């Protein structure tokens, strides 16, 4: 159990929480399989201790850091964020963790650092889908943010949810949470961080550039070819209740992040 | 026993009647499990999506099983299997109808304007919808009375089952995202079934006596 401090204000919502059971059994973590309950079923023996993160690129303090290096001096916070998946479902989750900006400041990126790139663990022994001959993903799973997005106070590194350390299927031991972007930006089980001058390649964009952009901001006006994006299903749902609600621009976090995209054509940079 | 024994069981109407009943009962099992999942609320955080996936999977499986009857019948000289083709085909339609209902009622929640844009703008929905219409047309024209009424037009209509099967595979391919196992598995089965028919029709044509 963790004793985090609550962060109110911009980092809080009064909406009904998605129950713990649903948060830990309905996951997209494709390293463990395609079905929503695969991550829960196939990740329970996943080893997260010891865990280290290789940090490098355009920064003054590169190196292999142990997870404890970041956790020990850090007062962990609890934040309640909406999570919006590009597949049109959403949840409300109480995360525990700390600002990505805190970690970034400690490793002192230099003036060439325009982007941050993240990678998920590659371990076919532990991750069945990485062994599959039919997988079309070029592992490791890669994601990235622009530097100003990464430094935004909303951008979060979660190590827990519901007051406990993260279960493997939710991205243990440390994952990104970027609440105004579609869920796939929030890379799980992070082992590598790089500061780069160029926009880094990202997994879904590499697989299907017409469907997934680098920015992936939640946007009800720009539809994904397979899913309309002006509405979402709040989970959990039952069959006989209307579960749809309107999707908000930047997932409702416009006040905090809209300025990052001033003057950008978001239909082009989706 | 010998050959006589073999031909006796092959033609034993009682045996085939019971086999058909057994198939009928087994074919209802997925539906019973789906209803049980709804009643006991064990379909997860999004039961609608789970039902859509499961009814879709069973549609494809019954469609392929129904297409497998003719090759099995011919290869193993089991003429009595013939009625199963219709039974399995109708079960494919049954699960396809559930699939369509789940989509309309629980995924779109009856927002009709979305159905229009989905069918027009999203190719995986378009092909799935066309495949469903084909199965529906076949189902409606499957009673003997309709077969008689359609006469020569019946066969070409029911040959469209191959198109429905190909479109169903396409529908599946377009929703897969990270792992193509299902598409390869079901696609290979369909390819084998189609190859058998292609090969057979070529053979029949070349074996026909040539008259000058």
């Amino acid at each position: 159990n963790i004793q985090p401090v609550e962060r109110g204000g911009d980092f809080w919502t009064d909406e009904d929480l998605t129950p713990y059971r649903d948060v830990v059994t309905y996951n997209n973590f494709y390293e463990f399989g395609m079905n929503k309950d695969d991550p829960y079923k196939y990740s329970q023996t996943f080893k997260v201790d010891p865990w280290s993160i290789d940090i490098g690129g355009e920064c003054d303090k590169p190196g292999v850091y142990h997870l404890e290096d970041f956790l020990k001096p850090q007062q962990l916070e609890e934040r309640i964020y909406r999570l919006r998946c590009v597949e049109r479902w959403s949840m409300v989750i109480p995360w525990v963790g700390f600002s990505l900006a805190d970690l970034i400041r400690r490793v002192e990126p230099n003036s060439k650092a325009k982007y941050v790139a993240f990678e998920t663990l590659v371990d076919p022994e532990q991750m069945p889908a990485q062994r599959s001959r039919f997988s079309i993903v070029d592992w490791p799973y890669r994601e990235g943010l622009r530097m100003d997005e990464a430094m935004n106070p909303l951008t979060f590194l979660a190590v827990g949810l519901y007051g406990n350390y993260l279960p493997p299927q939710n991205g243990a031991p440390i994952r990104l949470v970027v609440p105004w972007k579609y869920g796939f930006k929030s890379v799980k089980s992070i082992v590598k961080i790089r500061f780069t001058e160029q926009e880094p390649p990202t997994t879904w964009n590499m697989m299907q550039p017409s469907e997934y952009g680098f920015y992936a901001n939640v946007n009800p006006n720009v539809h994904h070819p397979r899913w309309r994006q002006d509405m979402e299903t709040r989970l959990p749902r039952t069959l006989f209740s209307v579960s749809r609600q309107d999707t908000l621009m930047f997932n409702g976090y416009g006040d905090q992040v809209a300025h990052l995209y001033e003057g950008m054509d978001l239909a082009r940079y989706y | 026993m010998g050959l006589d024994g073999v031909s006796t069981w092959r033609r034993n109407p009682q045996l085939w009647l019971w086999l058909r009943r057994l198939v009928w009962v087994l074919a209802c099992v997925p539906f019973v499990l789906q209803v049980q999942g709804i009643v006991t609320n064990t379909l997860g955080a999004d039961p609608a999506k789970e039902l859509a996936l499961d009814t879709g999977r069973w549609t494809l499986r019954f469609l392929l099983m129904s297409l497998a009857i003719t090759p099995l019948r011919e290869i193993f000289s089991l003429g009595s299997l013939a009625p199963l083709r219709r039974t399995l085909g109708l079960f494919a339609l049954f699960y396809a109808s559930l699939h369509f209902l789940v989509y309309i009622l629980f995924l779109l929640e009856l927002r009709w304007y979305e159905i229009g844009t989905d069918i027009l703008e999203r190719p995986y929905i378009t092909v799935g919808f066309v495949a469903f219409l084909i199965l529906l047309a076949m189902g409606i024209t499957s009673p003997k009375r309709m077969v008689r009424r359609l006469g020569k037009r019946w066969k070409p209509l029911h040959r469209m089952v191959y198109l429905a099967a190909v479109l169903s595979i396409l529908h599946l391919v377009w929703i897969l995202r990270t792992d193509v196992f299902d598409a390869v598995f079901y696609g290979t089965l369909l390819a084998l079934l189609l190859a058998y028919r292609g090969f057979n029709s070529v053979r029949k044509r070349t074996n026909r006596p040539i008259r000058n």
Side-chain angles (χ1 to χ4, degrees):
Chain A
N1 253 45
I2 319 172
Q3 301 296 326
V5 286
E6 289 184 3
R7 281 294 293 269
D10 292 347
F11 310 99
W12 204 261
T13 168
D14 293 330
E15 289 157 274
D16 289 339
L17 298 181
T18 301
Y20 181 78
R21 194 184 81 135
D22 298 308
V23 175
V24 301
T25 55
Y26 192 90
N27 306 95
N28 281 335
F29 196 167
Y30 288 105
E31 281 80 347
F32 292 105
M34 266 202 318
N35 299 315
K36 292 287 181 279
D37 56 350
D38 283 345
Y40 167 72
K41 281 197 220 152
Y42 301 121
S43 71
Q44 295 312 303
T45 59
F46 185 64
K47 284 197 239 16
V48 298
D49 195 22
W51 193 270
S52 51
I53 307 174
D54 172 6
I55 303 182
E58 304 293 346
C59 67
D60 292 341
K61 291 189 173 171
V64 176
Y65 290 82
H66 292 288
L67 184 59
E68 292 74 26
D69 297 339
F70 298 112
L71 289 186
K72 273 195 185 136
Q74 199 76 44
Q75 172 62 61
L76 295 175
E77 298 170 12
E78 178 159 72
R79 298 182 180 191
I80 300 178
Y81 279 163
R82 291 177 288 276
L83 170 80
R84 170 64 157 80
C85 177
V86 71
E87 297 166 345
R88 296 215 290 191
W89 52 268
S90 62
M91 293 183 178
V92 179
I93 302 174
W95 299 106
V96 177
F98 56 96
S99 277
L100 174 62
D102 288 347
L103 179 144
I104 290 179
R105 281 192 205 100
R106 285 189 56 190
V107 296
E108 298 175 12
N110 63 37
S111 59
K112 280 190 187 163
K114 300 280 187 289
Y115 295 89
V116 199
F118 303 87
E119 284 182 12
T120 297
L121 178 71
V122 178
D123 187 352
E125 298 247 318
Q126 294 199 80
M127 296 171 145
Q130 290 181 340
R131 299 196 292 268
S132 165
R133 284 157 196 237
F134 298 96
S135 169
I136 50 173
V137 183
D138 177 14
W139 311 106
Y141 189 86
R142 280 163 261 212
E143 262 309 334
L145 296 169
R146 218 168 56 190
M147 204 60 187
D148 56 349
E149 298 176 323
M151 294 302 288
N152 188 281
L154 281 177
T155 310
F156 199 55
L157 282 170
V159 295
L161 55 83
Y162 271 98
N164 289 304
Y165 287 104
L166 285 176
Q169 63 271 28
N170 294 82
I174 185 165
R175 64 167 294 171
L176 192 65
V177 178
V178 194
W180 73 92
K181 292 176 180 284
Y182 293 120
F184 67 86
K185 291 297 285 184
S186 293
V187 49
K188 294 170 167 175
S189 304
I190 299 167
V191 292
K192 194 169 164 186
I193 299 177
R194 284 286 176 275
F195 296 92
T196 64
E197 208 173 352
Q198 306 296 325
E199 186 183 288
T202 56
T203 292
W204 285 103
N205 180 250
M206 288 157 68
M207 281 168 63
Q208 206 57 263
S210 61
E211 299 187 5
Y212 308 95
F214 174 79
Y215 285 94
N217 292 316
V218 175
N219 188 340
N221 310 311
V222 176
H223 296 310
H224 183 281
R226 270 182 272 183
W227 303 286
R228 290 176 67 92
Q229 296 296 2
D230 50 354
M231 287 198 211
E232 66 200 57
T233 301
R234 183 56 61 83
L235 299 183
R237 65 166 295 185
T238 62
L239 277 188
F240 303 103
S241 62
V242 175
S243 60
R244 286 294 180 86
Q245 55 185 64
D246 289 341
T247 288
L248 304 172
M249 189 65 203
F250 298 117
N251 203 20
Y253 297 98
D255 287 349
Q256 295 97 300
V257 300
H259 67 275
L260 298 171
Y261 310 103
E262 249 164 51
M264 266 177 79
D265 177 3
L266 295 179
R268 188 168 160 224
Y269 297 99
Y270 48 89
Chain B
M1 295 281 274
L3 269 177
D4 276 358
V6 171
S7 52
T8 309
W9 75 259
R10 273 175 210 265
R11 287 193 201 131
N12 182 342
Q14 212 52 27
L15 180 78
W16 293 103
L17 181 65
W18 278 103
L19 179 76
R20 283 214 297 281
R21 284 176 181 161
L22 180 68
V23 166
W24 216 94
V25 170
L26 287 177
C28 289
V29 169
F31 177 65
V32 171
L33 291 177
Q34 285 157 6
V35 171
Q36 187 201 26
I38 295 169
V39 172
T40 57
N41 194 19
T42 49
L43 296 175
D46 193 347
K49 195 187 272 178
E50 187 55 40
L51 281 178
L53 288 172
D54 203 45
T55 50
R57 270 193 293 264
W58 283 107
T59 302
L60 187 56
R61 285 171 190 161
F62 278 106
L63 197 52
L64 292 175
M65 283 192 270
S66 137
L67 287 176
I69 294 299
T70 301
L72 287 178
R73 206 181 75 190
E74 293 179 1
I75 294 168
F76 300 105
S77 316
L78 294 170
S80 319
L81 273 180
L84 272 185
R85 191 174 64 164
R86 180 168 174 272
T87 311
L88 293 168
L90 285 170
F91 270 103
L93 172 62
F94 173 65
Y95 284 102
S97 307
L98 291 178
H99 188 61
F100 185 69
L101 275 178
V102 167
Y103 163 69
I104 297 285
L105 292 178
F106 303 133
L107 294 183
L108 291 184
E109 293 173 338
L110 296 174
R111 283 181 307 278
W112 297 102
Y113 69 94
E114 261 195 58
I115 298 173
T117 54
D118 261 3
I119 290 173
L120 291 175
E121 291 170 16
R122 301 184 212 291
Y124 79 100
I125 305 255
T126 319
V127 296
F129 185 65
V130 172
F132 174 58
L133 290 182
I134 293 172
L135 293 185
L136 195 60
M138 290 174 64
I140 292 168
T141 57
S142 75
K144 282 204 179 93
R145 195 162 43 85
M146 291 299 286
V147 180
R148 247 177 278 127
R149 196 195 282 183
L150 280 174
K152 274 186 184 167
R153 284 171 304 165
W154 191 87
K155 206 161 185 182
L157 175 68
H158 281 245
R159 282 222 169 107
M160 284 174 76
V161 69
Y162 302 119
L163 177 61
V166 170
L167 292 179
S168 304
I169 296 288
L170 205 53
H171 181 66
L172 172 68
V173 168
W174 277 334
I175 55 170
L176 290 180
R177 300 174 70 200
T178 60
D179 193 287
V180 292
F181 177 80
D182 281 7
V184 171
F185 180 73
Y186 293 112
T188 305
L189 287 179
L190 178 61
L192 288 172
L193 293 169
L194 291 179
Y196 172 84
R197 283 168 169 86
F199 181 72
N200 233 5
S201 73
V202 169
R203 204 187 53 188
K204 273 178 198 156
R205 222 168 285 160
T206 45
N207 283 354
R208 208 176 284 160
I210 300 158
R211 286 175 210 156
N212 277 324

